[in-house]
Amino acid sequence: MDMLRIGIMGVAGTLLAIQFKSGKSEYGIYITVVLSLIIFFSVLGHIGTIVETMKGIGRFIQMDQAYIGTLIKMLGITYIAEFSSGICKDAGYQTIASQIEIFGKLAVMLLSLPILMTLLNTIREFLS
């Protein structure tokens, strides 16, 4: 039911923003930003379920909780980068949007380096 509600709100907001595009285009951008924030906070309500499920998986397979925390941080970075980039693209600032996307990718890569090093050390110990 949530997806249906979000989909209807998204289409209605888009149609409303299109109405303002020819006259007062800044109103269309404001509508887009407000609608995006509503959807963003709706998603945040479901993040708790994802976090608890990931922690349960971590307890089930006996893995370090730091890895679960890192995965959750990566999820947050990608979601915020995509959200911010989308708003910038809608406002007509594609260059800023692409810079946000690049920064998000680099931040995820930076977070993944310790996990990659641990994996490589595990493989090295296994092979020796």
Side-chain angles (χ1 to χ4, degrees):
M1 185 62 182
D2 285 338
M3 187 59 222
L4 181 62
R5 182 173 49 99
I6 295 296
I8 289 171
M9 279 186 355
V11 171
T14 302
L15 293 174
L16 188 60
I18 288 172
Q19 295 298 318
F20 289 107
K21 198 164 198 128
S22 61
K24 297 268 188 176
S25 62
E26 64 271 8
Y27 290 147
I29 293 171
Y30 297 147
I31 291 169
T32 302
V33 170
V34 168
L35 186 61
S36 296
L37 287 172
I38 290 170
I39 294 171
F40 177 76
F41 288 117
S42 296
V43 169
L44 284 181
H46 296 291
I47 294 292
T49 306
I50 295 170
V51 169
E52 288 303 315
T53 303
M54 291 181 78
K55 285 181 180 178
I57 291 170
R59 286 189 298 269
F60 179 71
I61 60 174
Q62 303 294 327
M63 67 186 292
D64 189 5
Q65 292 297 319
Y67 297 139
I68 299 296
T70 302
L71 288 173
I72 292 169
K73 287 177 188 176
M74 287 178 181
L75 177 67
I77 288 170
T78 55
Y79 186 73
I80 290 171
E82 187 70 28
F83 175 78
S84 304
S85 172
I87 288 177
C88 291
K89 285 179 183 177
D90 286 345
Y93 294 97
Q94 283 78 16
T95 304
I96 295 172
S98 65
Q99 293 300 314
I100 291 171
E101 290 172 357
I102 290 171
F103 184 82
K105 290 172 186 175
L106 290 174
V108 167
M109 188 173 87
L110 183 67
L111 275 175
S112 68
L113 287 177
I115 295 173
L116 178 63
M117 294 306 296
T118 302
L119 177 64
L120 291 174
N121 285 333
T122 303
I123 291 172
R124 184 178 60 194
E125 290 173 7
F126 183 71
L127 292 176
S128 55

